[in-house]
Amino acid sequence: TGAVRNHTLKELKSLESGSFFSEDFEGETIPTLQEVVEALPQSTIFDIELKSENDPKEREQLVSQVLKLIDKFQLETRSFVSSFDWEILKIIQKENPKILRGNLLEKGDKLPNHYLEYEPDLILPHFTSVTEEFVSLLKKENLCVVPYTVNE
């Protein structure tokens, strides 16, 4: 139990996660991002969501590792990185501006006034926030809208 960041990869890989979804998957462990990329076809488009605590060093390390993986597997043209954390998006913009960045918005959030600071390529609002007015505003800013839902 506890935050993923507080466990080693070895500890996480020892956890059985498949039965959560179905008894057909019993015995499956949590895959790494690299394992997911290697297992899926070259035509797959990846939404790589990054989460971190408010630790600048952790953010930098996380982004660095993900950017290395994107480079290693040549995912620049078939992936985007999404996050609720604007600082992560800023780091990605600085380190590799070719990678598409998506700003996730919480349920009820509107487009932040300071979004121009980090210029996301995509806005990913909770599906309940998607109104005609909201989409019109995003289109005026030439932003792509990709609503998300939560499996509750």
Side-chain angles (χ1 to χ4, degrees), residues 32 35 58 62 80 83 94 107 121-122 128-129 131 144:
T32 63
E35 290 168 338
E58 180 184 288
L62 176 64
F80 62 95
S83 185
K94 178 182 155 203
K107 183 176 181 177
D121 303 291
L122 310 157
T128 59
S129 301
T131 63
C144 182

Side-chain angles (χ1 to χ4, degrees), residues 20-101:
F20 174 82
F21 298 98
S22 165
E23 61 185 42
D24 295 339
F25 300 113
E26 190 171 340
E28 293 292 327
T29 61
I30 302 168
T32 63
L33 179 56
Q34 179 168 327
E35 290 168 338
V36 171
V37 171
E38 290 172 339
L40 294 172
Q42 290 277 328
S43 59
T44 304
I45 297 173
F46 295 93
D47 172 2
I48 303 170
E49 182 181 345
L50 300 183
K51 298 179 181 186
S52 75
E53 298 297 320
N54 290 326
D55 180 346
K57 185 177 179 181
E58 180 184 288
R59 278 189 191 110
E60 293 279 346
Q61 290 173 339
L62 176 64
V63 170
S64 175
Q65 290 173 352
V66 170
L67 291 179
K68 285 177 187 171
L69 189 129
I70 288 172
D71 185 54
K72 176 180 178 178
F73 289 96
Q74 301 173 332
L75 299 177
E76 276 185 5
T77 60
R78 56 187 189 103
S79 68
F80 62 95
V81 177
S82 61
S83 185
F84 289 101
D85 186 338
W86 304 317
E87 295 300 324
I88 284 176
L89 301 177
K90 287 181 190 179
I91 296 167
I92 292 169
Q93 181 182 29
K94 178 182 155 203
E95 297 298 322
N96 188 340
K98 294 178 185 176
I99 294 175
L100 295 177
R101 291 159 288 110

Side-chain angles (χ1 to χ4, degrees), residues 122-136:
L122 310 157
I123 296 294
L124 297 95
H126 188 272
F127 76 99
T128 59
S129 301
V130 179
T131 63
E132 190 174 327
E133 178 184 355
F134 188 63
V135 172
S136 293

